[in-house]
Amino acid sequence: MNAFPAGLAAVALVLLAGPSPLRAQRPATPAGAASATPAQTAGNVPLVPAQATWDSFHGQLNAQKYSPLTQITAANVQHLQKVWEFHTGDVSDGSGKVPATVWSATPIFANDTIYIGTPFYRLIALDPTTGKPKWSFDTHTPLKATTQPVLKNRGVAYWAAANPVPGAPCQKIVYMGTMDARLFALDADTGRKCAGFADDGVLDVNRWNNTPKKWPLSLLQPPTVVGDHLILGWAGKDWAYEHAPAGTVWSINARTGQREWTFEALTPEMRKHSGTANVWTQMSADPTLGLVYLPVSSPSPNFWGGNRTEDAPYATSTTALDVATGKVVWSRQWVHHDVWDYDVDSAPTLVDITVDGKPIPALIQATKMGFLFVVNRKTGEDVWPIEERPVPGGDGSVKGEHLSPTQPFPTLPRPLLDQSRKPEVWPLADAVGAGQCSRLWNKLAYRGMYTPPTTRGEGTLAFPDSAGAVQWGGVAFDPVSQTAVVNTSRLVQYVKLYDREAYEKADKGSGNESGFAPQIGAPYGMRLEVARNWLGMPCWKPPFGELVALDMHTGLVKWRRPVGASQQYGFFMPERWGSPTIGGPAITAGGVIFIGASMDAKVRAYALATGKELWSDQAQAPAVANPAVYEYKGREYVAFVAGGNTILKDQVGDQIVVYALPEN
Amino acid sequence: MPMAPLRSFPTGVFVLLASAVAGLVLALYAYFTPLTGVTGTPGALAVIVACAVLAVLALTQRVAVKHTARATLRVAIVLLLLAICFAALLLHRWWICVAMGVGLAGVVVDMIRPASTGNGARA
């Protein structure tokens, strides 16, 4: 069947479905609204902590990545000096027996200590002024890439008892997960295991692996600590299977390791033949509302959905749970019937904003698609209209697929990328490739955002696809000026499905998040690539990454600029071309944005007001985690972890580097 | 290729050779020192090799006798100087580019005051 009539038919169906094709989506709420009312038991906890806080992956539970510290300002940041650096030694480039390391851990500051987890699954406590180790703990996790192609770690979590027992151990605990799905609980003062937590300080969550048990889980993201609850998701193996463990999030008692509740993202029926829709990234929480916000990923397999024709409203969503019970209070699905691997990959940023003079408790959800969805975090309702718009149908080449005729599009803020039309070929890359890019472009299907995967030609162009316009660094927010700041990647990828016979012939292996993947059990394997010429140059026009500031009173862009610089074979490209980014920003009340994230492995400071670059320094590898900002003994510090990520570049590191202004 | 006695270095050749050595040292530093931004990269390695080749060409220029050989060498040297400078700019190694500029001045000096090739006397 010709593809276009199918697309027109889908549009016609939408037009017939309601009075307007631009219908606003309503938040999904579970049956029994009474049970879905959150227990507001935590009292009135300010959304923005009064004290400078950086004791979790995104700094604060609200995921604002905001520090109220003002010692470092836009006027003096150029005087920053490196005050210490520490090398963990836990690094591998993958050339030997140990898989490559990907280290995206934000250092956390708590208990007058810097805590960090490593991709060799060691936990290290450091002096915040000198970087000297206070203690370290080795989980002795086998250095094997089981669920991931590389060894990954995104850090640690911290909990402190509200009413500590004097002299008793484990009144302050640091937690870290491992590739083999064990959660370790260590006394924050001594680094000794907390015997009262699970099995002598270790909780093996593979015991709760629901379906099917033979596929293991990993704990790469630290739990989100809300009061005495550890809210814990997991990571699994992407793109490998049609049938995989189904997404679950657990609440675990911070003291005992006992499981308190389980959230299941998929229905029991769907769990029989699909899986994932897990939460592999950080969550955010509003203790006053008693809500924890889950960024839920897509179901398996990632690029074919013929096995999941049922409604799966919590997949690729932001879902708000009552932190006390785990019951769904509201949920918004950002991609219906996701066949693009558009996992919601960052914690929603919780913000109090004023729109048209009206204060709104809001939430900003960044997405891989380059959309920022802004909703009321109490109810899930739109702040600015989010419209259901018709999207292209399939071309008829993929058997059994049931695509959604519409997808949600935010009206404000405008998309961070212009996905409405096929990106233009970059003449320079095309010339260097002797027309290679143009030829590729002509073989790629693209009928706008959400063009589904195909078996034809070289596949479907996706701008962006799995690599994502925004990754787990998410959105930072200045609550004073109500400015949101987010780094983006502008990457063109293309995905092709292969029927089984064709796949067996075509499969040439895979890299980290690229190449061939079998989707075992599904009728199609797949291949996902970045569109590049023979020299590795991107086939599309720069910039390849940007830093964007938005006025959240209006949802409009304040400024945008290329961020960082791309680097290939050591050669730096012009900064006006920008760089793809992994990692995220931090904002301070001194009017400074700190960010690493770029290919050139530099860490930078930008002016919050204008976007002007103010300072930079060279790190060992791309700093693919959010920076941490902390104060100790009257001095403000900025800490970066330079660990690298092979998705961005084959450059890995084991460096924590900390900067401050000169003492005099 | 006829060889001239290596009794002395003409000024232009000396300057060129010095710039090649300086470029080599700077590129080696960039390649081996941590946190230069290009540590261990193929680009820095390529500049190391190119600077070594430049030094060899400079020495060869000293001993080349025939006019055509010297002219060909000069063209190759100038192209190599430009290529190294361009690569150094992309590596953010500005001082290597400065060294290549000095080397280019050496070539110019050698063209204005060419070495006496028959007896190896200073030009």
Side-chain angles (χ1 to χ4, degrees):
Chain A
M1 183 197 280
N2 185 298
F4 200 55
L8 284 177
V11 172
L13 276 172
V14 174
L15 289 169
L16 290 169
S20 164
L22 307 181
R23 292 170 297 132
Q25 192 195 11
R26 295 283 172 265
T29 49
S35 64
T37 304
Q40 300 183 23
T41 54
N44 190 16
V45 180
L47 182 68
V48 181
Q51 301 291 321
T53 302
W54 219 280
D55 62 359
S56 59
F57 183 75
H58 283 318
Q60 311 85 37
L61 263 181
N62 57 30
Q64 289 188 359
K65 303 120 198 155
Y66 171 76
S67 171
L69 298 175
T70 56
Q71 192 174 82
I72 301 170
T73 68
N76 64 22
V77 68
Q78 72 272 20
H79 301 303
L80 275 189
Q81 293 179 342
K82 188 189 295 184
V83 290
W84 60 264
E85 67 179 298
F86 178 80
H87 292 266
T88 68
D90 293 358
V91 63
S92 168
D93 64 5
S95 59
K97 289 182 180 175
V98 177
T101 47
V102 162
W103 193 27
S104 317
T106 304
I108 68 167
F109 175 71
N111 193 31
D112 293 343
T113 304
I114 293 288
Y115 297 101
I116 192 79
T118 79
F120 284 4
Y121 307 104
R122 290 193 309 133
L123 206 158
I124 303 171
L126 300 169
D127 182 287
T129 54
T130 64
K132 287 183 179 166
K134 291 183 170 181
W135 55 259
S136 69
F137 179 88
D138 192 344
T139 63
H140 295 290
T141 301
L143 301 183
K144 292 180 180 171
T146 52
T147 69
Q148 311 288 310
V150 291
L151 299 173
K152 291 182 184 176
N153 174 273
R154 282 197 285 275
V156 302
Y158 176 80
W159 169 86
N163 299 300
V165 179
C170 295
Q171 300 303 296
K172 301 167 188 168
I173 301 178
V174 190
Y175 307 89
M176 188 182 74
T178 63
M179 178 70 88
D180 56 4
R182 291 176 298 157
L183 183 68
F184 283 77
L186 306 179
D187 185 296
D189 289 327
T190 64
R192 296 196 184 105
K193 284 192 288 185
C194 292
F197 183 87
D199 300 325
D200 193 28
V202 185
L203 175 65
D204 184 349
V205 303
N206 257 324
R207 74 177 73 166
W208 301 328
N209 186 352
N210 51 15
T211 306
K213 290 184 178 175
K214 66 179 179 178
W215 289 310
L217 311 179
S218 289
L219 299 180
L220 308 175
Q221 183 75 38
T224 301
V225 181
V226 190
D228 287 345
H229 307 275
L230 307 180
I231 313 299
L232 187 65
W234 48 263
K237 199 164 190 172
D238 251 358
W239 307 353
Y241 307 106
E242 174 197 35
H243 191 197
T248 44
V249 171
W250 302 294
S251 174
I252 294 160
N253 185 288
R255 290 182 171 85
T256 66
Q258 293 293 307
R259 185 169 52 167
E260 297 167 329
W261 50 255
T262 301
F263 164 73
E264 301 265 10
L266 299 177
T267 61
E269 184 60 29
M270 205 166 164
R271 278 180 239 151
K272 293 175 184 171
H273 46 81
S274 179
T276 60
N278 53 315
V279 177
W280 55 261
T281 188
Q282 186 73 4
M283 296 164 255
S284 48
D286 185 334
T288 300
L289 295 178
L291 296 179
V292 59
Y293 301 93
L294 277 51
V296 185
S297 74
S298 58
S300 65
N302 289 98
F303 296 93
W304 179 75
N307 65 330
R308 41 186 167 94
T309 54
E310 310 96 321
D311 203 16
Y314 303 141
T316 321
S317 76
T318 303
T319 296
L321 304 184
D322 182 335
V323 75
T325 64
K327 293 198 181 318
V328 175
V329 175
W330 60 261
S331 181
R332 294 295 299 264
Q333 185 169 63
W334 304 128
V335 181
H336 309 315
H337 192 79
D338 187 349
V339 289
W340 301 270
D341 191 17
Y342 283 147
D343 293 354
V344 182
D345 59 358
S346 63
T349 305
L350 313 186
V351 298
D352 288 336
I353 56 176
T354 307
V355 178
D356 296 330
K358 186 179 164 190
I360 300 174
L363 165 162
I364 307 170
Q365 181 65 71
T367 61
K368 285 187 175 183
M369 298 86 77
F371 294 142
L372 297 178
F373 293 103
V374 185
V375 298
N376 184 309
R377 69 173 180 274
K378 281 185 183 173
T379 63
E381 292 169 339
D382 300 356
V383 170
W384 291 286
I386 298 169
E387 298 173 343
E388 287 289 320
R389 294 179 186 168
V391 293
D395 62 5
S397 70
V398 179
K399 289 179 290 187
E401 190 57 275
H402 294 268
L403 297 162
S404 173
T406 66
Q407 296 288 356
F409 286 75
T411 53
L412 281 173
R414 303 251 183 249
L416 297 170
L417 316 175
D418 180 8
Q419 318 101 322
S420 63
R421 57 198 173 90
K422 199 172 187 174
E424 290 180 53
V425 170
W426 188 20
L428 179 62
D430 203 30
V432 171
Q436 193 181 7
C437 293
S438 295
R439 288 194 295 276
L440 174 63
W441 247 233
N442 292 334
K443 294 175 187 170
L444 296 176
Y446 191 75
R447 286 172 287 121
M449 187 72 183
Y450 296 111
T451 302
T454 178
T455 63
R456 293 180 181 154
E458 287 295 320
T460 300
L461 182 149
F463 179 59
D465 199 280
S466 159
V470 183
Q471 273 286 357
W472 56 78
V475 177
F477 184 72
D478 170 31
V480 178
S481 64
Q482 299 196 9
T483 304
V485 174
V486 61
N487 54 298
T488 69
S489 296
R490 299 178 77 256
L491 289 172
V492 174
Q493 294 176 283
Y494 55 105
V495 59
K496 181 176 179 175
L497 297 179
Y498 294 78
D499 63 40
R500 280 290 146 220
E501 190 179 343
Y503 183 82
E504 298 310 321
K505 290 177 185 168
D507 182 12
K508 291 179 177 63
S510 62
N512 186 8
E513 307 277 322
S514 67
F516 287 84
Q519 302 193 130
I520 293 166
Y524 300 97
M526 51 77 64
R527 181 196 62 186
L528 180 71
E529 298 287 357
V530 177
R532 288 183 284 217
N533 68 13
W534 64 273
L535 195 58
M537 294 172 70
C539 277
W540 64 100
K541 283 184 173 177
F544 307 119
E546 289 186 303
L547 194 62
V548 184
L550 301 112
D551 180 351
M552 294 309 293
H553 296 102
T554 61
L556 300 175
V557 170
K558 274 184 162 179
W559 53 258
R560 62 192 312 155
R561 56 156 297 145
V563 61
S566 300
Q567 192 181 23
Q568 181 82 312
Y569 311 124
F571 299 120
F572 296 94
M573 300 296 113
E575 293 205 0
R576 67 177 182 277
W577 293 356
S579 166
T581 57
I582 297 181
I587 294 178
T588 76
V592 182
I593 302 165
F594 290 104
I595 187 170
S598 56
M599 285 180 81
D600 60 0
K602 287 185 177 168
V603 294
R604 290 177 165 86
Y606 295 94
L608 176 63
T610 63
K612 182 183 177 189
E613 185 177 323
L614 302 172
W615 167 87
S616 71
D617 194 31
Q618 185 68 50
Q620 185 191 16
V624 294
N626 293 84
V629 182
Y630 64 94
E631 180 185 31
Y632 186 62
K633 293 184 176 175
R635 197 176 188 195
E636 182 179 346
Y637 298 86
V638 185
F640 294 87
V641 159
N645 188 316
T646 50
I647 296 175
L648 197 62
K649 185 185 178 191
D650 287 331
Q651 184 181 7
V652 293
D654 66 344
Q655 181 196 35
I656 308 168
V657 57
V658 176
Y659 300 90
L661 292 173
E663 286 188 281
N664 299 316
Chain B
M1 185 182 291
M3 303 294 282
L6 291 169
R7 290 203 305 230
S8 63
F9 280 104
T11 306
V13 174
F14 179 80
V15 170
L16 178 60
L17 185 60
S19 75
V21 172
L24 182 64
V25 170
L26 291 167
L28 285 167
Y29 176 85
Y31 185 82
F32 286 108
T33 307
L35 301 180
T36 63
V38 296
T39 311
T41 59
L45 187 61
V47 171
I48 290 169
V49 172
C51 286
V53 170
L54 182 65
V56 171
L57 291 182
L59 288 170
T60 307
Q61 192 188 30
R62 169 71 183 86
V63 297
V65 173
K66 285 187 176 175
H67 177 72
T68 50
R70 290 180 68 85
T72 306
L73 264 177
R74 278 195 187 121
V75 170
I77 286 168
V78 169
L79 290 176
L80 195 54
L81 284 165
L82 294 175
I84 293 171
C85 181
F86 181 64
L89 289 176
L90 292 181
L91 293 171
H92 292 185
R93 301 288 102 190
W94 323 116
W95 286 107
I96 295 178
C97 196
V98 170
M100 296 307 106
V102 173
L104 190 61
V107 174
V108 172
V109 168
D110 192 51
M111 288 169 69
I112 296 168
R113 301 172 59 197
S116 171
T117 53
N119 55 14
R122 189 181 295 271

